[in-house]
Amino acid sequence: MAKSKSSKRNGAQRSSPYDAAASKAKAVNHIFRMNKDIGQHILKNPGIAQAIVDKADLKQSDIVLEVGPGSGNLTVKILEKAKRVIAVEMDPRMAAEITKRVQGRPEQKRLELLVGDVIKTPLPYFDVCISNTPYQISSPLVFKLLATSPAPRTCILTFQREFAMRLVARPGDSLYCRLSVNAQMWAKISHIMKVGRNNFNPPPAVESSVVRLEPKVPRPQISYDEWDGLLRIVFVRRNKTIQAGFKGKAILGLVEKNYRTWCAQNDVPLDDGPADDDAMDLEDDDLDGPDDEWDGIMDVDDEGGDGGGGNDNPPSPPPNTPRKAPSKEPRRPRTKPGLVVESKIRKVLRDTELADKRAGKCDEGDFLKLLWAFNKEGIHFS
């Protein structure tokens, strides 16, 4: 009697009709490597992509700007609801992939593809912005969108989790910083949802969040440069008092320079000479004290460091460590305009009752009051 064919040994695996296709796809993905240097992390979860589009509340008449479309997973869903999509992609390979996805379909005529850096590219009119944002352009993109005129109706933006939390942070929060105050001055910002790192290909090193940014209409009638200039000073050390922030030599020099310019533009006479010794001694007595902060530090970071809520205090030295006497730096030459500026700064901080407050605890109203009072005295920050 003939023996039946023996089955394969335990170590062998049966071939599947899908193995060839899987191997081919794997080979293609191996060739098409993501460029992490420009923040390429493609959103691969269709459920998350659909939720992002739904949160935008798109109308059939909307023109949508999409930043960083990648392979087009969001793009095709936006095209289902919007009139037209303007996609800005930096990688020509990705741009080619998006073109292939809509080629020969009705959506092809409603897609405009711009290849280049969105920060450097002049943008046409759009109603809504949707972006899976490359993390390294997060801050520049936010302020480019806020400076756009006419302002978009809404922006649905995916960011690194910590950056998103800084955008929505409130006074007193650990992440409250200059970025928080600046962005919230020009827009209403809210957190929409969290997005886990495994929803991207390749997975980024950190988690992500989606925020809604709605520019204020009409725009606040203040100079952005003035506003940001003040915030740069008060957030040099966010947990120090505001008056301490104005004691740095570099800051006083900058404010004095701006005051001289303002006087020249407004025909205000200025006694531009060296300060009297008696006046210098009096001013030094006023400035010296336990809270004196003459460090001249201007290391302001948009998204981290002291401006972003880090630890402002250096680590304590080991016990019984001899304490070094502070080194005396050469005294900055004092001028009469400089003494006038210092006097005006003290007056403003006293009148606004903000001298002993900390920037990390102040809200938008406090900073507006401070800026108005400084401008009234001829002190400007741009």
Side-chain angles (χ1 to χ4, degrees):
M1 188 174 182
K3 293 182 179 180
S4 60
K5 293 182 179 180
S6 60
S7 59
K8 294 184 178 180
R9 295 183 178 179
N10 294 337
Q13 294 181 350
R14 294 187 177 182
S15 62
S16 165
Y18 301 102
D19 287 348
S23 300
K24 185 177 179 181
K26 187 175 181 180
V28 171
N29 290 336
H30 181 73
I31 295 172
F32 195 88
R33 291 184 181 275
M34 302 300 176
N35 187 348
K36 293 184 179 181
D37 292 338
I38 58 175
Q40 281 185 343
H41 299 281
I42 307 302
L43 181 63
K44 65 180 183 180
N45 187 326
I48 298 293
Q50 188 62 57
I52 290 174
V53 175
D54 292 342
K55 293 294 184 181
D57 296 325
L58 296 178
K59 303 175 183 178
Q60 292 183 345
S61 59
D62 280 340
I63 298 174
V64 178
L65 172 71
E66 186 185 6
V67 179
S71 60
N73 294 338
L74 264 173
T75 313
V76 293
K77 294 184 180 297
I78 299 171
L79 284 167
E80 293 174 1
K81 293 192 173 185
K83 176 182 178 181
R84 190 157 62 93
V85 174
I86 303 166
V88 185
E89 174 56 56
M90 193 168 185
D91 189 343
R93 303 174 306 161
M94 289 295 184
E97 285 296 311
I98 300 173
T99 303
K100 290 177 184 178
R101 291 189 72 163
V102 298
Q103 195 168 16
R105 299 172 57 183
E107 294 89 342
Q108 183 177 6
K109 296 181 179 179
R110 297 189 288 114
L111 174 64
E112 179 183 351
L113 201 56
L114 304 179
V115 180
D117 184 347
V118 67
I119 304 303
K120 301 176 182 178
T121 302
L123 299 177
Y125 171 84
F126 60 95
D127 300 291
V128 176
C129 176
I130 298 177
S131 172
N132 177 25
T133 313
Y135 292 158
Q136 62 266 41
I137 65 165
S138 297
S139 187
L141 177 63
V142 166
F143 290 103
K144 178 161 186 172
L145 293 173
L146 292 177
T148 300
S149 182
R153 185 175 72 249
T154 187
C155 303
I156 307 297
L157 311 171
T158 305
F159 292 122
Q160 176 182 345
R161 176 77 50 81
E162 184 174 337
F163 182 87
M165 292 299 100
R166 292 186 191 280
L167 283 176
V168 301
R170 304 300 300 167
D173 293 347
S174 61
L175 292 178
Y176 186 66
C177 60
R178 179 165 63 94
L179 172 69
S180 316
V181 186
N182 251 335
Q184 293 172 31
M185 179 65 191
W186 311 102
K188 177 183 176 182
I189 307 174
S190 57
H191 184 271
I192 294 178
M193 62 181 175
K194 299 177 181 179
V195 183
R197 58 191 298 271
N198 290 328
N199 293 292
F200 298 91
N201 179 36
V206 296
E207 305 292 306
S208 301
S209 280
V210 181
V211 300
R212 184 195 310 277
L213 187 148
E214 298 173 292
K216 294 179 181 178
V217 179
R219 287 173 56 85
Q221 296 302 304
I222 65 171
S223 164
Y224 171 79
D225 291 335
E226 278 278 301
W227 177 253
D228 185 58
L230 172 64
L231 296 181
R232 282 179 179 273
I233 293 175
V234 298
F235 274 102
V236 163
R237 291 289 182 264
R238 65 182 293 275
N239 289 325
K240 301 293 184 182
T241 62
I242 289 180
Q243 68 175 350
F246 279 94
K247 290 181 179 180
K249 295 185 179 71
I251 292 174
L252 286 173
L254 174 65
V255 176
E256 179 183 339
K257 179 181 177 182
N258 290 345
Y259 181 69
R260 290 172 178 272
T261 302
W262 180 83
C263 289
Q265 292 174 341
N266 293 272
D267 297 325
V268 176
L270 197 62
D271 186 0
D272 192 2
D276 298 333
D277 292 338
D278 293 340
M280 289 174 61
D281 293 338
L282 179 61
E283 296 296 331
D284 285 339
D285 290 340
D286 290 341
L287 290 171
D288 289 337
D291 292 330
D292 192 42
E293 294 287 338
W294 284 88
D295 50 15
I297 298 175
M298 289 294 289
D299 53 338
V300 182
D301 185 1
D302 287 352
E303 302 170 21
D306 297 315
N311 182 11
D312 294 302
N313 301 316
S316 301
N320 303 323
T321 301
R323 189 172 181 177
K324 295 181 180 180
S327 59
K328 286 288 184 180
E329 296 183 7
R331 176 180 291 181
R332 181 173 65 95
R334 307 292 288 279
T335 62
K336 290 182 179 179
L339 296 181
V340 171
V341 166
E342 292 170 17
S343 175
K344 286 179 176 290
I345 290 175
R346 283 192 298 273
K347 177 178 183 300
V348 167
L349 296 178
R350 181 180 64 249
D351 292 349
T352 58
E353 299 180 345
L354 292 172
D356 296 324
K357 289 198 69 173
R358 286 158 171 75
K361 306 290 184 182
C362 293
D363 59 17
E364 181 181 295
D366 293 327
F367 295 123
L368 280 172
K369 179 169 68 173
L370 195 60
L371 181 62
W372 181 84
F374 274 125
N375 288 172
K376 186 179 178 182
E377 293 291 332
I379 302 294
H380 294 267
F381 302 98
S382 64

